[in-house]
Amino acid sequence: MEFTKLYDGAFRKAKMGRARKLLSDNKLKDDAVLICNAVTFDLIGINKNSREGRENTEQAKVYLQELKVDVKRLLDLESTIVFED
């Protein structure tokens, strides 16, 4: 559960939020918001399936895989960032 708390605060809110703000296209910003929301649900799924007494390793792995896909989707938007001189 510490993993999901750390990822939610330090990674999703701080890093992904900052990256989202660098996007210059409004449509892509909207897409990035949806991706960040998906990451939230991935983390909730990992957390829920990692709770003591209710561990479900297989389901946690499914959410972990979804997390990887969602993070990759956000990273793929990096190539669209336009830096002004």
Side-chain angles (χ1 to χ4, degrees), residues 48-62:
K48 182 179 176 183
N49 288 287
S50 301
R51 292 183 183 154
E52 189 174 335
R54 297 190 330 189
E55 296 93 348
N56 184 334
T57 304
E58 291 306 312
Q59 197 62 31
K61 286 180 182 179
V62 169

Side-chain angles (χ1 to χ4, degrees), residues 11-33:
F11 182 70
R12 186 189 63 84
K13 290 178 184 173
K15 301 293 185 203
M16 292 180 79
R18 170 125 169 79
R20 188 181 75 232
K21 291 174 185 172
L22 290 173
L23 297 170
S24 51
D25 182 275
N26 285 335
K27 167 74 172 92
L28 293 178
K29 281 185 181 183
D30 292 342
D31 291 347
V33 168

Side-chain angles (χ1 to χ4, degrees), residues 33-82:
V33 168
L34 294 176
I35 294 169
C36 289
N37 290 344
V39 167
T40 298
F41 287 105
D42 299 339
L43 293 171
I44 289 169
I46 292 168
N47 186 318
K48 182 179 176 183
N49 288 287
S50 301
R51 292 183 183 154
E52 189 174 335
R54 297 190 330 189
E55 296 93 348
N56 184 334
T57 304
E58 291 306 312
Q59 197 62 31
K61 286 180 182 179
V62 169
Y63 282 106
L64 180 60
Q65 185 57 38
E66 290 180 21
L67 176 64
K68 291 176 184 179
V69 169
D70 291 331
V71 169
K72 174 143 178 25
R73 286 175 50 210
L74 187 71
L75 290 173
D76 289 345
L77 296 178
E78 180 182 20
S79 64
T80 68
I81 296 173
V82 176

